[in-house]
Amino acid sequence: MEDILSDKSPEGAWERAKAVLIATLKTPEEQSRADRYFSMITKVEKDGVSFFLKVSNSTAAEFLNANYAEKVKLCLGLMGEGEDVKVSFTVDDSPPPPPPVEEEPAPRYNTQESEVRVNHEAGARPGFISTMPLKEEYTFEEFVSGPSNSWAYSAAQGVVQNPGEKSYNPLFIHGGTGLGKTHLMQAIGNELKKKNKNLAVCYITAETLLNEYINCLKNGTINSFRDKYRNVDCLLIDDVQFLQRKNQFQEEFFNTFNYLQGKNHQIVMTSDMAPKDLKVLDERLISRFIGGLVQEIDSPSYETRLAILKKKTEGKLPVIPLSTLNFIAENIKSHVRAMEGALAKVKMVMLANPGEEIPQIMLERLLKDFIESDENIRRITVADIQSACAKHFNVSVEDILSNIRPQTIVNARLIAMYIAKKYTTLSSSDVGRAFNKSHATVLSGVKSIQGRIATENELRESLDVILQELGLRE
Ligand code: ADP
Ligand code: MG
């Protein structure tokens, strides 16, 4: 792969701006969201000072324009594209490339155990056009396996060896943000495509899938939606936690899921939570999710972190001294994406001062943001907060998410909202969504509980205990 730092094309400029933008976002949640949306970009075009970043659907384009266009403009400016650079996210309306001509019908899966998984409509869909392309660098070779991810890694390889095999179908990988779930999932897709280029491998985020579904409902093309997803050989759905609370879509998803599983077509999913914690998901779906193999990815150990850094830098310029890699591995502990952000910053400084090692004191200053956010903002999710509050007040998470109003439940609900608003960087609308409430309800709820905490000792004590429980207080 070309090093993005020396690539002068519009794509290169965009890759650099993207790395800096993601690196400047403070929390893993924000980074993960930006990464998810940016991965929907299929093409980068430049006309004079205008950059056009193309995505496959209008909902994503609108979201990207509203939330990221300004930041991207700033970062492109910083990357030497000039201050008057213009940025817009637009829908890619160029026709998809024609499917390759098929030489001979091939079995879908290259495996000897053909009775289970051979394609019965062999070669029916060469050149399936996925909404979201696979990143070619997300391979098994580029993935460092260590104790934190070895089970998930072996399971992913198992899927490649025996796709559709019942004990691996579906494969559900869960774990915190930036720990390699998307990488591993796409490695499965890339490897399967390598074995059989005609295999219809579809990678998609649950959010994009949902957007596509909504668009198809609007346009009356739901049948083509069904046809498309029921014809894939391997469906890779990233971040399924987004399916929570989308009831009508869950029904559609359930049917597609059953259809594919019934035909022994492989399904792989990732989520930031274990299936059992996807509280607001239809129970039928949860039981399907855990019917195959569930594997967790944890934060990597020091040795794995160092091995990942070595892998990401080996054979690339600028050469980064081992002491610098050590510093990053020692100080950035929670997730790999933050290490990559740190690495991007270090590379830029080293390119500006070729051949000079960055002194420790400079490194500390340079990587302060990553180190601080890594240590101070624990990876706390709204689900953690909701469970801790439910446990403390002896109510259920369902009670918290409902609208019922006995005082204990109201207290649990409001304290949970207050913690979510204060100790994560989620917006009021995000918190609202996580609680089945409007953003106005969150704002007024948080305001009312703040007043009560100041005057009601018992409530204040409850809050302290829960914060301690969540590791948010010394
Ligand atoms: P997630 O989907 O869990 O949020 P990603 O798969 O997007 O995380 O990983 C974030 C970045 O970290 C990617 O660039 C990925 O290549 C890298 N990464 C994570 N884990 C590993 C690993 N074990 N080996 C190599 N790279 C990794
Ligand atoms: Mg991911």
Side-chain angles (χ1 to χ4, degrees):
M1 192 187 44
E2 268 279 318
D3 200 25
I4 61 165
L5 292 166
S6 54
D7 182 352
K8 300 267 185 299
S9 66
E11 287 82 8
W14 158 241
E15 288 298 330
R16 283 192 296 277
K18 180 170 80 175
V20 171
L21 199 163
I22 292 183
T24 57
L25 297 172
K26 280 256 150 132
T27 65
E29 284 77 18
E30 286 175 284
Q31 292 182 339
S32 170
R33 178 161 60 186
D35 188 56
R36 238 184 6 260
Y37 272 94
F38 292 157
S39 67
M40 294 180 201
I41 293 168
T42 47
K43 215 185 274 168
V44 183
E45 285 171 1
K46 190 180 175 198
D47 185 5
V49 291
S50 301
F51 272 83
F52 298 99
L53 301 160
K54 306 275 185 172
V55 286
S56 59
N57 69 72
S58 58
T59 322
E62 274 165 33
F63 183 89
L64 284 158
N65 275 317
N67 292 279
Y68 296 107
E70 267 309 302
K71 288 187 186 132
V72 171
K73 177 176 149 45
L74 257 172
C75 292
L76 282 168
L78 279 173
M79 295 295 99
E81 294 295 321
E83 276 175 19
D84 52 351
V85 64
K86 293 192 173 59
V87 170
S88 61
F89 294 92
T90 54
V91 178
D92 183 2
D93 45 16
S94 60
V101 181
E102 198 187 358
E103 288 122 25
E104 59 183 76
R108 291 252 169 130
Y109 293 135
N110 271 349
T111 157
Q112 289 84 23
E113 293 162 63
S114 49
E115 70 285 2
V116 192
R117 286 166 296 278
V118 154
N119 167 35
H120 304 291
E121 318 115 78
R125 290 178 52 77
F128 172 85
I129 311 283
S130 182
T131 313
M132 301 173 75
L134 290 171
K135 278 196 184 171
E136 58 189 51
E137 65 270 29
Y138 282 175
T139 58
F140 284 113
E141 293 77 38
E142 292 297 321
F143 191 87
V144 176
S145 169
S148 57
N149 59 31
S150 59
W151 287 97
Y153 183 81
S154 314
Q157 290 198 314
V159 164
V160 170
Q161 269 141 32
N162 288 311
E165 157 71 44
K166 284 208 167 39
S167 52
Y168 290 104
N169 200 15
L171 171 62
F172 191 105
I173 301 173
H174 66 97
T177 181
L179 295 181
K181 300 184 295 297
T182 300
H183 184 141
L184 207 48
M185 167 180 252
Q186 293 207 10
I188 296 176
N190 276 321
E191 193 66 27
L192 284 174
K193 288 290 279 184
K194 205 155 83 186
K195 286 181 155 194
N196 178 357
K197 68 179 167 36
N198 287 337
L199 206 67
V201 172
C202 173
Y203 166 81
I204 194 154
T205 62
E207 217 171 357
T208 312
L209 190 65
L210 176 70
N211 286 339
E212 241 182 273
Y213 173 71
I214 293 169
N215 281 338
C216 288
L217 274 186
K218 263 196 234 151
N219 306 335
T221 50
I222 200 69
N223 283 339
S224 68
F225 178 90
R226 285 187 189 134
D227 278 355
K228 176 174 174 185
Y229 289 101
R230 288 180 191 195
N231 269 307
V232 299
D233 298 303
C234 174
L235 184 58
L236 309 168
I237 307 178
D238 212 354
D239 293 312
V240 292
Q241 70 272 12
F242 280 97
L243 298 183
Q244 295 189 91
R245 279 179 290 277
K246 318 286 181 200
N247 292 341
Q248 194 186 352
F249 183 61
Q250 284 187 26
E251 184 68 31
E252 183 72 36
F253 185 65
F254 182 74
N255 293 334
T256 305
F257 190 102
N258 277 346
Y259 183 91
L260 291 176
Q261 208 182 28
K263 293 200 155 226
N264 296 319
H265 289 193
Q266 181 69 42
I267 302 165
V268 184
M269 288 173 285
T270 73
S271 160
D272 64 0
M273 289 177 238
K276 66 175 174 36
D277 295 327
L278 290 165
K279 291 260 161 33
V280 203
L281 211 61
D282 189 329
E283 270 176 26
R284 292 177 310 164
L285 268 180
I286 295 186
S287 73
R288 282 292 191 286
F289 287 2
I290 54 186
L293 187 61
V294 178
Q295 292 295 359
E296 184 174 3
I297 299 191
D298 215 340
S299 296
S301 63
Y302 167 77
E303 287 74 21
T304 311
R305 296 200 296 274
L306 189 61
I308 293 173
L309 288 167
K310 285 184 177 162
K311 178 126 247 163
K312 302 264 171 203
T313 51
E314 90 198 348
K316 291 193 182 141
L317 289 173
V319 175
I320 301 184
L322 187 59
S323 58
T324 306
L325 297 183
N326 260 323
F327 180 88
I328 299 177
E330 268 167 21
N331 288 287
I332 301 178
K333 301 182 185 122
S334 67
H335 62 108
V336 182
R337 192 172 293 125
M339 289 203 310
E340 288 186 332
L343 208 53
K345 257 188 155 175
V346 163
K347 277 189 183 180
M348 265 169 233
V349 172
M350 295 205 57
L351 280 177
N353 311 284
E356 283 177 38
E357 187 168 334
I358 310 175
Q360 163 109 2
I361 183 116
M362 269 273 288
L363 273 179
E364 274 166 22
R365 221 172 291 153
L366 187 66
L367 305 181
K368 187 164 158 277
D369 279 352
F370 296 105
I371 296 167
E372 267 183 7
S373 66
D374 196 59
E375 281 176 358
N376 296 349
I377 302 181
R378 254 182 21 103
R379 281 184 295 122
I380 185 100
T381 66
V382 178
D384 293 335
I385 297 170
Q386 289 168 342
S387 325
C389 291
K391 190 166 150 230
H392 179 85
F393 287 98
N394 203 13
V395 300
S396 70
V397 172
E398 285 72 27
D399 290 336
I400 289 185
L401 299 178
S402 72
N403 290 319
I404 51 175
R405 306 200 53 84
Q407 193 59 46
T408 323
I409 295 178
V410 171
N411 286 349
R413 184 182 299 140
L414 291 180
I415 294 260
M417 277 185 190
Y418 171 80
I419 299 176
K421 188 72 196 75
K422 189 144 184 252
Y423 289 88
T424 71
T425 53
L426 296 177
S427 67
S428 305
S429 314
D430 288 338
V431 173
R433 265 194 292 282
F435 282 84
N436 275 342
K437 304 285 180 297
S438 71
H439 108 282
T441 309
V442 173
L443 287 180
S444 69
V446 168
K447 202 164 163 209
S448 85
I449 199 83
Q450 248 166 338
R452 288 181 53 204
I453 290 163
T455 54
E456 296 176 35
N457 285 342
E458 212 177 315
L459 207 57
R460 167 89 236 163
E461 276 162 24
S462 288
L463 174 66
D464 280 342
V465 172
I466 296 166
L467 288 177
Q468 199 151 18
E469 181 89 349
L470 288 165
L472 295 168
R473 270 285 148 79
E474 298 293 82

